[in-house]
Structure formats: structure tokens, C-alpha cells
Amino acid sequence: MKDVAARAGVGLKTVSRVVNGESGVTPDTERRVQEAIEALGFRRNDSARVLRKGRTASIGLVLEDLADPFYGPLSRAVEEVARAHGALLINGSSAEDPDREQELALALCARRVDGLVVIPAGDDHRYLEPEIKAGVATVFVDRPAGRIEADTVLSDNFGGARDGVAHLIAHGHRRIGFIGDQPRIHTAAERLRGYRAAMEDAGLAADDAWVSLGTTDAGRVRTAAEAMLTGPDPVTAIFAGNNRVTVTVVRVLAGLPHPVALVGFDDFELADLLQPGVSVIAQDAAALGRTAAERLFRRLDGAQDVAPERIELATRLIARGSGELPPAA
């Protein structure tokens, strides 16, 4: 800073004001300081800045899987909000492993991020209590926190699934299969609950053979779908519990000689270009990320004493053709 001040012909305080974006500096003086900074290759020492201000201007994002298309717009929305607040986003994947989630979240805290946005893999988040008490703002998104009270932003998984299955029922289907994610996952459990509610509302019994929960591995999903579609009493429609399940089911249905109706939870790329287009219950992933990040920065800006809030965003049905197919004769 002394070298910059000497080259620009100003005092140290003026250099500090320019670097930190403070007022009280004329445009000409600011230009001279910036030219001196560029000429000397000056870089701000963020470590010293942290010690002085107690904030790192960074937040952490713990995702399930960076490769999952659903998390792309969510992550981007968090990043855009962070950038608008002058903060850097650091993210990583838990791979649906609770131990990995804890390791990653605590590693981010050890690097003194100001806050965390967490898509939880586990169901016990008491390990974060000391960090939250120490001032690390924390918001959970897509799934709720386990065993602690914290801000949470969710989609209406129950209502969306109920609407999707009701849509199939309205088009004449009575034997409807459900293929979902692992039952311990909040979203999978809520979507199964929505499926059962829609069947019950219509006075329909959901045969156990029509329900399959487990990993979203393509082999597992294919086996489940083929089992539902064969035998003496096959299903005439399938409700798929997430985008990865839906894609595998589309491949299975493409090999059948007769049409089977399909509604998937989560939209996915090119769903509208298939024949027929795939009907889906769409979440707004970007709105989930944006809402969670905005809540986080409200906490960081002083709303620490406000009670944790649970925010639930609506889903919407997009009818493209696959969910409107009637039962095969």
C-alpha cells in the first residue's frame, strides 16, 4: 500500500478507501490509485481483511451431486445472489453420504465461510450447532434439517406428486406404478405420500407391487419398471419420482409395443422434444436456490434473532402428451 500511495502521490488512507470502495475520493484520484495498483501488481490481502472485519465474504454450498442437472440452476442462483452481495461461493458434493456431508460442511466452516446453504444427505445436523452459535448462518434447501431448528426452503413435494398422479387418474388410469428414490430421503418419502393420497382420494388401492423405492441407478429402475409392466395385472401408467428415474423409464417404455402413460417429478432437458413429450411436475430449482441464498444473506445482515422459517414453493404440472395417454385397450 505504501508503494501504491507513493506512486499515485496520495496517502495510505486514500489507497484504503479506493480498495474498499469507500466514498470521499475524487474520480481523478481514484483513477491514479487504480493505475498505480495495476502498474505494481498490487493484490488485496484478504487474510488481513478477514482478521480486521471478521467476515470472509464467502459462503459454502453443500450439494448432493454437482453432476445432477437439477442442481445446476439451483447452484447458479445461489452464486448470483452471493455475487450481488460481494461474496464468493465455494461448493462441493456429498454424494448422498451423510458422513461426507458432515466432513464437507465442517471443512467449509474451518475455512471460515460466513454462511452455509446445505442440501442435506443425513438426518442429524446437530454437528452444526456449535458453528451456528458461533455465527455461521445456515439455510437448508430441498430437504429439511434433522434434529435442529433452521431455515428451510422446500418444494411442495407432497402436493406436486398428488397432482401428477391425479392427472393420470383423470385420464382413465387405475393401475399406476410409482418408482422413487431411497425412502430415507425426505423428497422421496413426500412424493410417495402424495402418490398414495391421490390413489386414496380416487378410491383406488395401491398394490405393493406397483411401488418401488431405491437407488436411482438405471439398472434398478429398469428392473422395477419391467416388473410393473409385465404379469397378469400390469400398470397402465407410471409416476416417476425424479428426473433420473424418469429418463430410465422413458428408455424402458420406448421398447414396448403399446403406449404407457408417464408423468415424472422434475423437468429435464429435451423432455418437450420426445414423442410424445414427457409430462412433468416441475420444480423451480433456481427459485429454491435464490430464496435460500437471500434468506442466508438476511441472516448475515443482522436478522440473527428471527425465528427459523420453513418456506415451501409451489410446483406446476406441464402436460406434454405422455401423461395424457389413455390406458391401452
Side-chain angles (χ1 to χ4, degrees):
M1 286 182 68
K2 289 179 181 178
D3 292 340
V4 171
R7 187 180 183 98
V10 299
L12 284 174
K13 182 62 178 175
T14 299
V15 175
S16 177
R17 284 174 175 164
V18 171
V19 169
N20 290 294
E22 298 174 3
S23 60
V25 181
T26 66
D28 181 64
T29 299
E30 182 178 359
R31 177 185 56 77
R32 297 204 321 271
V33 171
Q34 292 290 3
E35 288 175 351
I37 287 171
E38 290 181 17
L40 295 171
F42 174 84
R43 294 292 182 271
R44 183 174 63 195
N45 186 329
D46 279 336
S47 296
R49 188 165 178 258
V50 169
L51 290 173
R52 186 174 72 252
K53 294 192 171 183
R55 294 273 289 270
T56 63
S58 63
I59 64 170
L61 172 61
V62 180
L63 295 163
E64 176 203 343
D65 183 359
L66 283 167
D68 187 331
F70 173 75
Y71 294 118
L74 188 154
S75 177
R76 178 65 180 271
V78 174
E79 184 176 28
E80 288 176 349
V81 174
R83 187 180 181 204
H85 285 82
L88 177 70
L89 177 66
I90 307 169
N91 58 28
S93 300
S94 69
E96 204 62 77
D97 181 345
D99 292 335
R100 172 62 182 152
E101 175 213 298
Q102 179 173 340
E103 175 189 333
L104 181 57
L106 292 179
L108 290 167
C109 290
R111 284 159 178 76
R112 297 191 62 182
V113 294
D114 299 324
L116 288 173
V117 176
V118 180
I119 297 171
D123 57 6
D124 187 348
H125 294 92
R126 289 176 295 176
Y127 71 86
L128 280 173
E129 285 182 331
E131 310 299 334
I132 294 171
K133 288 178 181 177
V136 178
T138 304
V139 177
F140 290 80
V141 63
D142 191 43
R143 307 167 186 173
R147 307 185 73 174
I148 65 170
E149 293 294 322
D151 289 317
T152 303
V153 182
L154 308 170
S155 291
D156 182 8
N157 294 284
F158 169 77
R162 183 176 57 187
D163 290 346
V165 176
H167 185 70
L168 291 168
I169 293 169
H171 284 82
H173 295 278
R174 298 295 178 265
R175 300 192 305 276
I176 302 170
F178 175 85
I179 305 177
D181 210 330
Q182 300 179 74
R184 65 176 179 80
I185 297 174
H186 169 81
T187 50
E190 284 295 285
R191 292 168 195 176
L192 174 60
R193 195 166 68 87
Y195 162 82
R196 293 194 184 283
M199 296 290 279
E200 185 178 339
D201 290 344
L204 302 174
D207 193 299
D208 289 343
W210 300 347
V211 176
S212 177
L213 298 179
T215 68
T216 56
D217 171 77
R220 199 284 298 182
V221 173
R222 175 177 287 275
T223 298
E226 289 174 346
M228 293 179 188
L229 293 164
T230 56
D233 204 24
V235 300
T236 63
I238 292 177
F239 184 78
N242 65 31
N243 54 2
R244 286 167 290 186
V245 172
T246 305
V247 170
T248 299
V249 172
V250 166
R251 291 192 172 109
V252 172
L253 298 186
L256 297 181
H258 58 276
V260 173
L262 170 66
V263 174
F265 203 111
D266 293 334
D267 206 357
F268 61 97
E269 192 172 7
L270 305 182
D272 57 326
L273 298 182
L274 297 173
Q275 291 297 328
V278 180
S279 300
V280 298
I281 299 296
Q283 304 184 77
D284 191 336
L288 283 169
R290 184 170 54 253
T291 304
E294 288 171 348
R295 184 71 182 180
L296 184 78
F297 280 100
R298 279 200 294 274
R299 290 285 184 193
L300 291 173
D301 291 340
Q304 294 288 354
D305 296 330
V306 178
E309 185 178 359
R310 181 183 175 114
I311 301 169
E312 194 166 85
L313 305 183
T315 59
R316 65 190 180 100
L317 171 69
I318 303 176
R320 296 192 177 115
S322 71
E324 295 69 57
L325 294 172

